[in-house]
Amino acid sequence: HGVSLGLAGADLPDLGRLRRLAELARELESPVVSEHIAFVRSADSPDPLHGDVLEAGHLLPPPRTRAALTILCDNISRAQDAVGVPLALENIAALIAWPEDEFDEPDYLAEIVRRTGAQLVLDVANLFSSAVAQGTDPLHQLLRFPLSHIAYVHTAGGRYRHGRYVDTHGDPMVDDVTSLLTQFVAGCHRARVRVPGIMLERDTDIRPETVLPGLRAIDAAIEEGRVHEVDHCA
């Protein structure tokens, strides 16, 4: 699971990074290599204005324009050819949207899938974070995601602080994220799509007493989503 390819940047993917990912995929017999739909640096080499490459230290959202999408899809295709196993792409927690955006996120992801054949990693916590930051409806977004192309799912914890949601990956899942996960499971059943594997991400305080409640919450969301859809059909 990569974080620094910067596939949505204007530069080509770094061949050294791609070779390393391919080596790891072979060594670990990985069924998939995943990366984020983001850019992470301003250049691939120093230039007269900057003494070194500028790294953001964060996953930044690309503008969802047709021109930027063409570059992203070309980079995705190059990466897929290099890593030797299927590539899956994850939606990020985007604090901002660009004023020139021509797609919303579901249409954007559907177009990426259509052009490249890549799979997706759906991060429901990231989806919720983006929706809160940008004032959109996370459930409305979720129900339009291309569910049949999702390789697996991420979820994570966070907290509300001073009226804002902070995606910490180090707290319990808030009820809103758990509810979104339930709705995702129900949507899969409704669309007759298999429910993919769901992974709990946690970056800090990784102990059984902190991790197990999150895993139980995932199990409960899966069961509730299944029951919710059965009741809906009935």
Side-chain angles (χ1 to χ4, degrees):
H1 183 55
V3 295
S4 59
L5 273 183
L7 293 174
D11 52 330
L12 297 177
D14 181 83
L15 292 178
R17 295 175 190 270
L18 289 174
R19 281 195 292 267
R20 180 59 176 156
L21 281 174
E23 291 170 359
L24 289 171
R26 288 193 298 271
E27 179 69 21
L28 301 174
E29 299 181 353
S30 174
V32 65
V33 167
S34 55
E35 181 53 275
H36 300 79
I37 301 173
F39 69 95
V40 295
R41 64 185 63 86
S42 68
D44 61 358
S45 61
D47 63 34
L49 294 178
H50 307 107
D52 199 356
V53 175
L54 294 180
E55 291 277 351
H58 191 69
L59 297 163
L60 298 173
R64 293 196 292 261
T65 64
R66 288 176 174 80
L69 179 61
T70 296
I71 294 171
L72 169 61
C73 289
D74 180 64
N75 285 346
I76 291 170
S77 296
R78 291 172 185 269
Q80 285 188 130
D81 291 343
V83 298
V85 297
L87 185 66
L89 304 163
E90 179 179 343
N91 59 299
I92 68 168
L95 298 178
I96 62 169
W98 297 92
E100 60 266 36
D101 282 353
E102 299 173 79
F103 300 87
D104 65 7
E105 189 160 48
D107 286 343
Y108 180 68
L109 295 175
E111 186 64 13
I112 290 171
V113 168
R114 187 187 71 80
R115 292 193 192 189
T116 67
Q119 300 178 56
L120 300 174
V121 176
L122 169 62
D123 192 315
V124 293
N126 285 355
L127 171 61
F128 179 73
S129 297
S130 297
V132 170
Q134 299 173 35
T136 58
D137 181 348
L139 180 57
H140 177 70
Q141 298 271 313
L142 174 68
L143 296 178
R144 294 174 49 235
F145 270 54
L147 299 181
S148 62
H149 295 277
I150 294 174
Y152 65 102
V153 174
H154 283 173
T155 190
R159 67 172 66 179
Y160 289 99
R161 183 184 300 156
H162 305 303
R164 299 178 180 178
Y165 179 73
V166 183
D167 179 35
T168 63
H169 278 50
D171 288 286
M173 280 188 290
V174 299
D175 290 344
D176 289 320
V177 171
T178 305
S179 176
L180 205 58
L181 186 60
T182 298
Q183 292 296 330
F184 165 75
V185 173
C188 287
H189 286 294
R190 190 159 49 246
R192 303 295 187 265
V193 172
R194 69 172 180 86
V195 178
I198 300 173
M199 177 183 293
L200 175 67
E201 290 190 303
R202 193 175 179 97
D203 294 344
T204 59
D205 192 16
I206 304 171
R207 296 173 292 138
E209 55 266 39
T210 57
V211 172
L212 286 176
L215 298 178
R216 294 190 184 107
I218 291 173
D219 287 342
I222 292 171
E223 180 61 21
E224 186 177 345
R226 184 188 67 80
V227 172
H228 175 84
E229 180 51 28
V230 169
D231 292 343
H232 176 81
C233 291

